[in-house]
Amino acid sequence: MHHSFSTLLIGVACLFSSFSVSAAQPSTGTVTGVIQDAVSQIPIDFVHVTLFKEANTVPLTSVSSAEDGSFRFDNLQAGNYRIEASLLGYKPLKQTFSVTAGQPVSLGVLKLQPDARQLAAAEVTGIRSAMRMDIDKRVFSVDQSIASAGASASDVLKDIPSVEVDQEGSVSLRNSSNVTIWINGKPAGLNSDNQAQVLEQMPAESIDKIEVVTNPSSKFSAEGTAGIINIVLKKDRKAGYYGSLRAGVSDPFGYDYGANLMYSSPKIDAYTTLGRRRHGNQGTGESRRETYTTNPLSLLTDTSTLISDTDRDFNMGGLFFRGGVDYHLTPNHSLSLSGFAMKGERGFDSEIGYDYFLADGSASRYVDRTSNSTSGHTNMEVTLDYQWEIGEEHRFQTNLSYGKRAMSDKIDFTQTETRTDGVLVAPTVQLQTGDGGHTDWEFQADYTNQLSERFRVEAGLKSDWTVRTSGNTIFNVANPLPGQLPDYNNEFDYDEKIHAAYATFTGKGWGGFGYQLGLRGEYSDIAFISTIAPSGNNLDKGKHYLDLFPSVFLSYTIKEGFDLQLNYSRRINRPRGRSLNPFTDISDSTNIRFGNPDLAPEYANAFELNAIRVLDNHTLSASAYHRMASSVIQEIRYLDNGIIYQTPDNVTSSTSSGLELIAKDRLTKWLETTSTVNVYHTHLNGFTYKGNDYKGSEGFSWNARINSTWLMSPSLTGQLSGFYNAPRVMAQGRTKSNYTVDAGLRKSFLDRSLLVAVNARNLLNSFNFSSTSFGPGFYQESKNQFFGRTLQLTVTWNFGNMKPKQKKPNGENGDGDAGMGGGMDSGMDGGF
């Protein structure tokens, strides 16, 4: 069914294309402009720009300015218009203009003046809007978030609509964990094995914005059936030099400190960030498992019970470095060398108490299992970029990157057991060690050409070569028998090469129609070897497959200020890391997990219908989405001799449908909110595993989030956010509801040279993960809280010579212009 639907979409898009080609001359015009700060002359993004007929008070449509301050309105009939640009902390700006059919209009640079009633000094900027909606993604500004002070990238993601981060650091998008996370547009070595640690080590202060792409086009990698989350690091380009120092403390005890330095000149832009972060927290857990067995003599079902209680204590710390240099060869050619490096360590201690009860309710034994683990990781990446600005909206760029990662861990297990029948059980002491490495080479070339006002073509090539190695060894240090455990030791080597090519064609058709057609091809060459010594159960596998990933994006303006978008794309989720590795994890002796080397990729067809309504102070977005997945990878749980085993497998197919509503509201001049409600239905088909039949599951659920920012005084800003997750179904069980509230205040002193921020995460100490799960022969209830309330105080000192540059008598810019990329209006040079 979905194949015929996608064929229909392609046919409709081709029809739109024929209409546009047959049009001899466009009957509408286009207006463009650039917004910048009147004092610093720096481009401002996220500015709310509203379009009106000249004498009307009802807006026609609205957009938010892009990263370079630019905005654009298309398909304007001939006539007189005005725009109004507004942003908290600035005086409103109005500009009138006329449109002639078929003629583009450039408004040049529009300068916003700081509002003296809101700001203590002219150099102070106000609160920017937290969200911008583009045609193919939503962009969230991070540098305005008070909650990001002293926080991590993982903390920032928790505040992003559509995104969830569970208590173990795993990220999901619209209730799906099959999401790809990038740093600066590249995977940067993030995977299920290291994702949580890397995001926890990355300081939020180094992040400029988060881009959420729920249904990526063929231009993007097809990896991640749920979409892409792109973390864009800061890269300020301001004339002269600029820097900041920060330090913070938190409760439970933790600390962070760091420095940022930036320098810009006509030929060279350089920037660097160095930071250290350390924090800790405590958590608890409890569970009750009932195990059912049938007595052949009485034909009755006996029920035994296992109750466990867990105490956890963890701490994390590490260094983060980011730096880069941009060299402007000519106004149209530039080279960039950039990179980042991380070195972190983690300690995790837990104590689990197990109480076993017989069917008659009497206790049979008590087990206490303690574990002490330490781990470390390093992560570095270097990227060389070249960009050629052939002409306006006509460019060619390439990048070559190299990344290297390493991880190591050591875990000590001690287990003691007391039996009620008087039998003595010797303590068991085990040591588990592991190490892993990861190297990655990536080359990409992209070409973009705006052939005309109505047509744009993009094409590119990409090759990615990844090599991963890991090894795990478990020893019995004490009873029952010292020495290695052969069945639990392994070496796992993984080699992956993915070569891709894509092309997209974007056009504007008849009336208010627009479209983008794309096709991406990816060839996967994968091989891995698993060696289990000394038992000799070795594994050597190879997989090779070619996949095509089409995408169709259609848009239509129903009326001015009311747009519809219909999108389709095909996606893939390749299993990697611990999902494939057959290593057996025995950290919890009653819940044992191992990987599955026979896993195949999971595929999905994703459809999305978006409606966007723009009003003067409100932007409303409704997204209806439907995702059909095949060869779905599910974690299967089964009972064997009183122990639950867990492993992933391609067992079924699923569908997921939902409606996501987003409202960005400027309620007053001082208050702005972003609200999200996501209502969805999931259906997982039933399956059979190891001779047991597993029922399918389906059900409705929803979650909601609200983020608010208010300007309490010219120098005091507050933020409050809340999140609620309703109960939802999962394979073999159901999760219960949870919620959390975060709050923060930021006060500026000395014309914003000094900033003091206080924030609280999980303010009500309410965030936990509770669930019920079941399978053949067992039923289990569990509740876990991995971290409690966290309070953070952060102080930041800004310094530098970012003052407005004087223009030369002939109207040309001063020395800082080339540093801003040239070719733009003279008002685009940087400065604070």
Side-chain angles (χ1 to χ4, degrees):
M1 176 179 176
H2 62 273
H3 293 297
S4 60
F5 186 58
S6 60
T7 304
L8 175 61
L9 294 182
I10 295 175
V12 173
C14 294
L15 179 61
F16 296 160
S17 176
S18 66
F19 285 158
S20 62
V21 172
S22 63
Q25 292 292 335
S27 61
T28 59
T30 298
V31 62
T32 59
V34 175
I35 305 290
Q36 72 174 213
D37 186 294
V39 176
S40 68
Q41 302 183 31
I42 300 173
I44 311 175
D45 58 355
F46 294 93
V47 176
H48 191 72
V49 185
T50 308
L51 177 71
F52 299 83
K53 282 286 191 180
E54 186 178 27
N56 292 350
T57 58
V58 178
L60 299 175
T61 186
S62 179
V63 298
S64 293
S65 60
E67 183 178 8
D68 59 359
S70 64
F71 65 89
R72 179 187 183 106
F73 293 103
D74 295 312
N75 302 318
L76 301 184
Q77 301 294 328
N80 298 323
Y81 297 85
R82 80 173 188 278
I83 63 165
E84 295 183 3
S86 59
L87 181 66
L88 285 175
Y90 290 91
K91 295 179 180 179
L93 180 146
K94 298 181 181 180
Q95 178 76 38
T96 59
F97 60 95
S98 299
V99 172
T100 303
Q103 298 297 320
V105 177
S106 175
L107 300 180
V109 173
L110 304 177
K111 299 183 178 181
L112 291 184
Q113 295 286 346
D115 191 336
R117 292 177 300 172
Q118 301 179 37
L119 308 174
E123 288 83 1
V124 183
T125 59
I127 303 172
R128 299 189 304 171
S129 174
M131 181 180 71
R132 183 179 74 239
M133 295 184 185
D134 292 346
I135 189 171
D136 60 347
K137 62 188 174 185
R138 293 195 297 272
V139 185
F140 300 89
S141 175
V142 173
D143 63 349
Q144 295 297 307
S145 172
I146 296 172
S148 67
S152 66
S154 181
D155 294 326
V156 171
L157 288 173
K158 295 174 184 177
D159 295 331
I160 302 298
S162 308
V163 179
E164 293 181 52
V165 182
D166 69 17
Q167 300 195 69
E168 295 181 323
S170 298
V171 180
S172 60
L173 179 62
R174 285 182 176 171
N175 197 41
S176 174
S177 60
N178 295 328
V179 57
T180 296
I181 299 178
W182 286 347
I183 299 176
N184 288 340
K186 295 184 289 295
L190 291 180
N191 55 57
S192 59
D193 295 336
N194 63 14
Q195 179 189 102
Q197 288 195 47
V198 171
L199 294 178
E200 188 62 36
Q201 295 298 134
M202 182 180 294
E205 286 85 356
S206 66
I207 302 173
D208 178 37
K209 59 190 176 185
I210 305 289
E211 298 177 341
V212 178
V213 188
T214 54
N215 201 12
S217 71
S218 298
K219 179 179 179 179
F220 299 95
S221 167
E223 189 72 38
T225 55
I228 297 170
I229 298 173
N230 184 28
I231 300 173
V232 181
L233 301 180
K234 290 179 180 177
K235 183 183 175 182
D236 290 356
R237 300 181 65 182
K238 303 173 181 177
Y241 73 92
Y242 169 80
S244 66
L245 300 174
R246 78 171 189 280
V249 293
S250 61
D251 178 41
F253 178 73
Y255 61 85
D256 73 282
Y257 55 84
N260 297 279
L261 292 173
M262 283 157 276
Y263 170 78
S264 181
S265 71
K267 282 291 185 182
I268 294 178
D269 297 321
Y271 53 92
T272 185
T273 296
L274 181 64
R276 167 78 175 172
R277 185 169 188 265
R278 190 170 190 85
H279 74 107
N281 218 312
Q282 296 82 37
T284 60
E286 56 187 59
S287 70
R288 178 187 178 89
R289 180 194 303 165
E290 296 179 352
T291 304
Y292 307 106
T293 58
T294 300
N295 189 325
L297 298 179
S298 64
L299 300 180
L300 296 177
T301 299
D302 294 331
T303 303
S304 59
T305 304
L306 168 61
I307 297 177
S308 68
D309 289 287
T310 305
D311 290 313
R312 305 181 180 93
D313 192 351
F314 75 89
N315 61 81
M316 299 182 68
L319 288 169
F320 177 84
F321 169 80
R322 176 188 63 94
V325 176
D326 299 337
Y327 181 64
H328 309 288
L329 303 170
T330 70
N332 296 327
H333 298 268
S334 64
L335 280 175
S336 299
L337 180 65
S338 61
F340 69 89
M342 304 172 65
K343 180 176 177 60
E345 64 278 345
R346 177 177 182 175
F348 187 88
D349 301 329
S350 70
E351 182 175 359
I352 310 176
Y354 304 98
D355 297 339
Y356 292 83
F357 298 90
L358 301 175
D360 61 4
S362 62
S364 62
R365 57 191 175 113
Y366 304 97
V367 176
D368 186 77
R369 186 175 179 85
T370 61
S371 65
N372 306 101
S373 69
T374 57
S375 62
H377 71 94
T378 58
N379 191 332
M380 62 84 68
E381 181 166 302
V382 179
T383 301
L384 178 64
D385 294 280
Y386 165 73
Q387 182 161 307
W388 176 19
E389 295 287 346
I390 304 172
E392 186 175 357
E393 298 295 330
H394 186 192
R395 69 178 62 90
F396 173 74
Q397 57 190 35
T398 65
N399 70 70
L400 176 66
S401 64
Y402 169 76
K404 187 173 181 63
R405 288 96 196 169
M407 297 181 67
S408 63
D409 60 79
K410 182 178 72 172
I411 310 176
D412 296 298
F413 300 104
T414 301
Q415 182 166 310
T416 59
E417 180 176 341
T418 302
R419 294 178 53 167
T420 58
D421 59 6
V423 176
L424 297 178
V425 180
T428 299
V429 181
Q430 296 172 334
L431 172 64
Q432 175 179 318
T433 61
D435 59 78
H438 177 183
T439 59
D440 182 82
W441 286 95
E442 180 182 296
F443 173 78
Q444 184 168 347
D446 297 285
Y447 174 78
T448 302
N449 191 358
Q450 187 76 36
L451 300 174
S452 69
E453 182 184 337
R454 289 180 169 270
F455 302 105
R456 182 175 75 249
V457 63
E458 297 175 278
L461 300 170
K462 181 180 179 182
S463 287
D464 194 341
W465 179 25
T466 301
V467 176
R468 296 185 177 96
T469 60
S470 66
N472 294 275
T473 304
I474 299 179
F475 294 89
N476 266 340
V477 180
N479 289 326
L481 180 65
Q484 289 194 24
L485 303 177
D487 292 337
Y488 296 98
N489 303 327
N490 84 325
E491 297 287 337
F492 188 76
D493 300 326
Y494 180 87
D495 189 298
E496 175 186 274
K497 301 180 184 71
I498 299 177
H499 308 288
Y502 78 89
T504 65
F505 183 74
T506 305
K508 298 174 184 176
W510 171 75
F513 283 103
Y515 57 90
Q516 183 191 87
L517 307 178
L519 182 63
R520 184 182 188 91
E522 292 189 352
Y523 177 73
S524 303
D525 183 359
I526 298 172
F528 55 87
I529 299 175
S530 176
T531 304
I532 300 178
S535 63
N537 296 325
N538 301 333
L539 194 67
D540 188 349
K541 286 182 174 288
K543 300 179 180 181
H544 314 275
Y545 44 89
L546 173 65
D547 292 299
L548 296 179
F549 302 96
S551 66
V552 179
F553 283 65
L554 306 177
S555 64
Y556 177 65
T557 300
I558 296 179
K559 63 179 182 179
E560 293 169 327
F562 189 9
D563 297 317
L564 284 181
Q565 302 168 359
L566 180 61
N567 311 328
Y568 161 77
S569 69
R570 184 172 186 253
R571 313 288 299 162
I572 186 174
N573 178 39
R574 298 178 180 88
R576 296 184 176 94
R578 67 193 298 261
S579 295
L580 293 173
N581 191 346
F583 169 71
T584 303
D585 183 357
I586 61 171
S587 56
D588 183 344
S589 60
T590 65
N591 295 274
I592 294 179
R593 188 196 181 282
F594 56 93
N596 179 5
D598 294 321
L599 285 179
E602 175 181 330
Y603 294 91
N605 291 282
F607 300 85
E608 195 169 298
L609 176 63
N610 301 316
I612 301 175
R613 184 73 169 105
V614 179
L615 304 172
D616 192 17
N617 291 310
H618 309 276
T619 299
L620 307 175
S621 169
S623 298
Y625 57 91
H626 181 66
R627 184 170 58 242
M628 299 178 294
S630 59
S631 298
V632 173
I633 300 173
Q634 283 290 312
E635 292 282 342
I636 309 302
R637 298 176 179 87
Y638 62 92
L639 186 69
D640 186 5
N641 196 26
I643 297 175
I644 289 183
Y645 291 87
Q646 181 177 337
T647 187
D649 207 343
N650 301 97
V651 290
T652 187
S653 60
S654 69
T655 60
S656 178
S657 304
L659 176 65
E660 185 177 57
L661 305 176
I662 299 178
K664 186 177 72 172
D665 301 295
R666 183 167 300 163
L667 301 177
T668 70
K669 192 173 184 179
W670 316 97
L671 177 62
E672 209 173 73
T673 63
T674 301
S675 308
T676 308
V677 177
N678 182 26
V679 182
Y680 56 89
H681 176 268
T682 57
H683 183 193
L684 186 72
N685 292 323
F687 55 90
T688 300
Y689 183 81
K690 289 186 177 295
N692 294 312
D693 293 329
Y694 292 78
K695 295 181 179 180
S697 60
E698 66 175 316
F700 282 93
S701 187
W702 62 280
N703 55 53
R705 185 190 304 272
I706 182 169
N707 298 324
S708 62
T709 301
W710 69 97
L711 204 60
M712 305 171 70
S713 75
S715 60
L716 181 62
T717 306
Q719 289 183 344
L720 183 68
S721 64
F723 174 74
Y724 175 80
N725 213 353
R728 64 182 184 269
V729 297
M730 62 179 183
Q732 295 180 254
R734 183 177 181 86
T735 67
K736 297 182 179 180
S737 64
N738 54 36
Y739 68 95
T740 185
V741 176
D742 301 332
L745 291 172
R746 180 169 58 198
K747 174 72 174 177
S748 65
F749 303 89
L750 304 175
D751 294 344
R752 284 183 66 88
S753 293
L754 180 65
L755 298 177
V756 179
V758 179
N759 65 70
R761 289 194 169 272
N762 195 14
L763 180 63
L764 305 179
N765 201 30
S766 57
F767 191 61
N768 59 67
F769 188 81
S770 301
S771 66
T772 59
S773 59
F774 53 83
F778 76 93
Y779 173 84
Q780 179 169 297
E781 296 181 350
S782 62
K783 178 180 179 180
N784 288 282
Q785 184 179 41
F786 283 82
F787 61 89
R789 180 189 300 109
T790 302
L791 304 178
Q792 177 84 31
L793 170 66
T794 304
V795 179
T796 303
W797 174 261
N798 299 312
F799 60 88
N801 67 347
M802 298 301 177
K803 297 298 182 183
K805 284 191 165 290
Q806 299 296 322
K807 296 182 181 180
K808 295 182 179 180
N810 62 1
E812 296 178 356
N813 287 342
D815 293 340
D817 294 339
M820 290 306 299
M824 300 295 288
D825 188 278
S826 62
M828 287 292 291
D829 77 328
F832 229 14

